[in-house]
Amino acid sequence: MGFEVITKPKGGDIDKMAEKVFWEAIRMLGGLKKLVEYRNLTWLPSLAEAAYVIVLKNEAMKTYGEIAKILGITEQTVRNIATADEEEVKKYIEGELEERPKEHIAGGIAKLAYKKLKEEGRLDTEEIELKKEEMEVLDVDWAVHVLAKIRGLDFPVSKEQLMERLKGMVIKGKKIEEILEKLEYPIKTPAELLHRIKTHLAEQSS
């Protein structure tokens, strides 16, 4: 008796599902404005990464090793995200725990968001709806789109490779091509890419 290797997600598009998990996680945290108030925007790249890990594991049935290769992160990071105790993280976010738990915070939040979307049947049926206040600070969600476009790219990467993958993107009113011209290469990981883009944008706005 043979068996079929599952290579496609059970339903929907991985990028769209990861983006839904990302936005649901932000809503659970009180919205982008609250994150801005508490200066927790540094969470966004980690949250985007965690959203992909949870969706790839649960919807595309990928192994830790496969996910690590797809996202360009370590297998241990994938494992930490996927095995985070979401209930402990929830208690921490709600202020029930005084000390930060050892769990991967972004991983726990992404798992809570994923579970909520699945339970409500919204993961692969609804389009993403953004509230007005979310639209106002939408320029911070570029991390999700960058991660989506570079998925599967082997790191370290050159400027030319990123130009090819990210061409046409606009971040905070700036063309990605202009931003990439200013970065140092090679870039070793997706996290480093997000950090360098963010640093460049901060320098330009200061």
Side-chain angles (χ1 to χ4, degrees):
M1 184 176 173
F3 63 92
E4 183 180 353
V5 178
I6 299 174
T7 55
K8 293 184 178 180
K10 289 182 287 186
D13 177 274
I14 289 294
D15 294 332
K16 284 184 179 178
M17 286 192 284
E19 193 167 349
K20 284 176 185 174
V21 171
F22 173 80
W23 279 110
E24 187 62 34
I26 285 175
R27 288 194 180 110
M28 293 176 78
L29 289 169
L32 282 173
K33 277 199 168 179
K34 188 168 183 179
L35 288 183
V36 171
E37 286 170 18
Y38 290 105
R39 302 191 181 280
N40 281 332
L41 292 181
T42 51
W43 286 17
L44 293 179
S46 292
L47 206 51
E49 196 172 77
Y52 266 105
V53 168
I54 300 306
V55 170
L56 285 167
K57 178 179 180 292
N58 294 293
E59 297 296 319
M61 304 302 180
K62 297 293 184 184
T63 65
Y64 293 151
E66 288 171 331
I67 295 171
K69 190 172 183 181
I70 289 169
L71 297 180
I73 57 180
T74 68
E75 194 168 329
Q76 187 58 52
T77 298
V78 174
R79 190 182 301 274
N80 291 345
I81 291 170
T83 60
D85 185 333
E86 61 266 38
E87 293 307 318
E88 283 295 296
V89 171
K90 186 177 181 181
K91 288 177 184 176
Y92 172 65
I93 294 168
E94 293 176 347
E96 291 180 29
L97 297 178
E98 290 185 13
E99 291 186 15
R100 180 189 174 105
K102 293 179 181 178
E103 308 300 322
H104 191 290
I105 303 299
I109 296 167
K111 286 177 77 173
L112 287 167
Y114 172 79
K115 185 185 291 186
K116 189 168 187 286
L117 288 169
K118 286 291 280 187
E119 287 174 353
E120 296 175 4
R122 293 191 289 127
L123 186 66
D124 49 18
T125 55
E126 286 185 11
E127 289 302 310
I128 300 163
E129 294 180 5
L130 302 179
K131 297 175 184 175
K132 185 172 183 290
E133 62 266 26
E134 289 171 343
M135 291 294 289
E136 288 173 1
V137 275
L138 188 61
D139 54 16
V140 295
D141 97 319
W142 55 264
V144 182
H145 299 293
V146 169
L147 284 176
K149 286 179 177 289
I150 64 172
R151 198 154 61 86
L153 197 59
D154 288 329
F155 279 75
V157 293
S158 64
K159 179 173 68 178
E160 290 70 26
Q161 287 173 294
L162 290 174
M163 286 281 195
E164 178 63 29
R165 283 295 187 97
L166 301 175
K167 62 184 177 184
M169 277 192 75
V170 176
I171 300 175
K172 288 194 174 184
K174 290 185 176 293
K175 291 181 179 179
I176 190 66
E177 290 84 357
E178 294 174 10
I179 296 172
L180 294 176
E181 284 288 352
K182 304 292 184 181
L183 306 185
E184 291 183 15
Y185 299 89
I187 292 176
K188 297 174 183 176
T189 65
E192 184 181 333
L193 173 62
L194 296 180
H195 176 72
R196 290 194 182 187
I197 291 175
K198 184 183 171 192
T199 301
H200 173 74
L201 292 172
E203 289 172 352
Q204 293 299 304
S205 61
S206 60

